[in-house]
Amino acid sequence: MGAGIVGLAAAYELQLRGMQVTVIDRAQPGAGASSGNGAQLSYSHVQPLADAGIWRQLPRLLLSPHSAFRLRPQWDWQQWRWGLEFLRACNRRTSERSSQYLLALAALSRQRLEAMLQAERLDCDFSRTGKLVLYDTPAGLAAARRQMQLQQAWGCKQQAVSAERCLEIEPALQHCQRHIEGAIYTPDECAADCLRVCQGLQALLAERGVRFLLGTTVQGFERQGARISAVKTDAGAVPAQQFVLSLGSASHALACTLGLRLPVYPLKGYSITLDTAAAATPRVNVTDAARKVVFARLGRRLRVAGMAELVGHDARISPARIQSLCRATRALFPGCSDFAELRPWSGLRPATPTGLPVVGRRSDAPENLLLNTGHGALGFTLAFGTAAQLAELLAPA
């Protein structure tokens, strides 16, 4: 259930191991949170949003009109419960434990995604040009150094670099050098067009016999004792032996039909995709830590993404947010595009309070239901890692 990058990666791994797979989704492959995401494969930058430093930033994040974070309270107990659990996770111990787990999962995901790309030769503007995370204050850079040193103990290969070194790595940053205190540089970080990966996976899986029920809404389940016997859809019942729930931010509502609570809530993000003027466009992936905006080169396009809004299931595109992304782009890379076509997008990223995805079986769920959701802003980065975990549970090699 689910034809975003998380669901399709699982379908690929399961089909690869000889299982007969059916994929159900109300939309086309990659049409949800996968279609316009930040495009960065952030294998070494996985620190969860829930961090002890949030407490110092909270007043500015909540009150500043220019904040990358926005909270719009809903008459929704799930939002309030998620928020309280998020604040409870904002401590150093939880953040470090989550970071260590996510780094290991990201390493597995890199291995499986790159194996797939090598085997299948998908056209998805994949690149391995590295990543610069820019900081504009000594305090911000110092905190990033501490996180880098922590991650180096877990095998990450990163380095802190000066503003001058940033320009050597990425000459397109020349217009904003005076605003850069320094950066964390990861030489082997990657980027790709997630939507093209989804479309490519759907095409090759269909050729290999995977059944796709697209434009089909999952409505609930038929049960026999402790097991699910079929998925109920608006096109009829779909029987199977095992069921994988990968419906992103819609996973919570469907799980509720089974009496199962998932700690998943939508975290809304935005992006624009610009046609580029090659000489003035970054080749390296760049993250502006102060503005919470990411930049990724996709062939002759530049993907610019950011923001985190806790506003329920409202997927409408805010013109103010799109203009904020344009301002951030002009500040760092003023000559990168004529900005004639922005291709604005918003998506609902399925987030958990701790930042850890929900993967595998649960004792309070039907015994043949596996969960695969809650990847947050790291869906593309972690998709093939959780797919490998599921494949090991369902079809061990």
Side-chain angles (χ1 to χ4, degrees):
M1 293 163 281
I5 187 60
V6 171
L8 289 170
Y12 177 81
E13 289 287 346
L14 293 171
Q15 192 277 332
L16 203 62
R17 299 198 185 200
M19 300 192 75
Q20 294 180 319
V21 181
T22 297
V23 178
I24 309 171
D25 200 298
R26 66 182 180 184
Q28 293 301 304
S34 300
S35 63
N37 63 18
Q40 293 186 357
L41 291 158
S42 297
Y43 299 118
S44 298
H45 293 270
V46 296
Q47 185 180 13
L49 183 62
D51 178 72
I54 285 288
W55 293 102
R56 295 190 306 273
Q57 304 172 42
L58 205 55
R60 178 178 57 81
L61 290 173
L62 292 176
L63 301 176
S64 171
H66 305 296
S67 172
F69 181 79
R70 179 186 175 200
L71 170 65
R72 189 170 70 213
Q74 311 286 305
W75 292 106
D76 179 2
W77 69 270
Q78 170 68 3
Q79 184 196 56
W80 290 91
R81 182 170 181 175
W82 189 97
L84 291 172
E85 291 177 350
F86 171 79
L87 291 175
R88 192 178 302 126
C90 290
N91 62 79
R92 181 177 177 181
R93 181 181 177 185
T94 300
S95 178
E96 290 185 0
R97 186 167 59 241
S98 297
S99 294
Q100 186 174 12
Y101 174 83
L102 289 171
L103 282 171
L105 180 57
L108 173 62
S109 194
R110 178 202 286 268
Q111 180 187 47
R112 296 306 305 152
L113 172 61
E114 294 188 4
M116 184 277 292
L117 290 176
Q118 184 175 8
E120 311 299 350
R121 305 294 181 185
L122 296 188
D123 179 12
C124 60
D125 288 320
F126 178 82
S127 63
R128 193 199 311 275
T129 55
K131 179 174 178 175
L132 283 166
V133 182
L134 308 178
Y135 296 89
D136 62 353
T137 66
L141 183 59
R145 283 178 179 269
R146 289 192 293 272
Q147 180 68 19
M148 179 191 71
Q149 290 165 356
L150 179 69
Q151 294 189 172
Q152 283 176 338
W154 299 329
C156 275
K157 296 179 180 179
Q158 299 173 299
Q159 53 188 283
V161 297
S162 66
E164 293 76 14
R165 177 61 179 142
C166 285
L167 263 67
E168 293 175 2
I169 296 168
E170 182 47 76
L173 288 167
Q174 59 183 311
H175 301 282
C176 61
Q177 180 181 2
R178 66 182 183 278
H179 300 297
I180 300 174
E181 180 68 26
I184 301 299
Y185 176 49
T186 313
D188 61 349
E189 292 284 65
C190 307
D193 188 325
C194 186
L195 178 58
R196 289 188 179 180
V197 173
C198 289
Q199 293 169 337
L201 284 173
Q202 191 268 338
L204 69 90
L205 287 172
E207 289 179 358
R208 295 172 187 177
V210 171
R211 179 188 180 200
F212 281 88
L213 300 178
L214 303 175
T216 302
T217 300
V218 177
Q219 298 174 327
F221 301 94
E222 295 179 1
R223 299 187 62 169
Q224 290 185 350
R227 296 175 62 84
I228 297 170
S229 58
V231 173
K232 292 189 288 187
T233 79
D234 57 358
V238 182
Q241 293 177 323
Q242 301 287 340
F243 300 83
V244 179
L245 178 56
S246 298
L247 284 174
S249 59
S251 298
H252 171 79
L254 188 61
C256 283
T257 66
L258 294 168
L260 184 66
R261 179 188 174 265
L262 298 183
V264 175
Y265 199 79
L267 200 60
K268 186 178 181 180
Y270 296 87
S271 77
I272 56 177
T273 306
L274 305 169
D275 294 323
T276 63
T281 307
R283 182 185 64 88
V284 173
N285 296 321
V286 173
T287 295
D288 183 338
R291 294 182 176 90
K292 304 292 190 292
V293 175
V294 303
F295 302 84
R297 181 77 168 268
L298 297 173
R300 296 185 178 182
R301 299 167 295 146
L302 180 67
R303 176 68 51 77
V304 185
M307 317 301 175
E309 295 186 345
L310 210 63
V311 295
H313 291 267
D314 180 2
R316 290 175 297 179
I317 297 175
S318 163
R321 290 304 206 180
I322 297 304
Q323 288 307 310
S324 178
L325 292 176
C326 289
R327 287 194 298 271
T329 308
R330 287 189 170 102
L332 265 66
F333 309 110
C336 72
S337 176
D338 60 9
F339 293 86
E341 188 173 0
L342 302 179
R343 302 181 185 92
W345 171 90
S346 71
L348 302 177
R349 300 169 294 201
T352 65
T354 61
L356 300 180
V358 182
V359 183
R361 305 184 195 275
R362 281 206 358 198
S363 60
D364 57 344
E367 61 186 33
N368 60 337
L369 175 68
L370 289 93
L371 305 169
N372 187 30
T373 187
H375 295 62
L378 293 171
F380 195 13
T381 298
L382 301 178
F384 275 82
T386 57
Q389 292 178 332
L390 287 173
E392 187 61 31
L393 289 170
L394 282 173

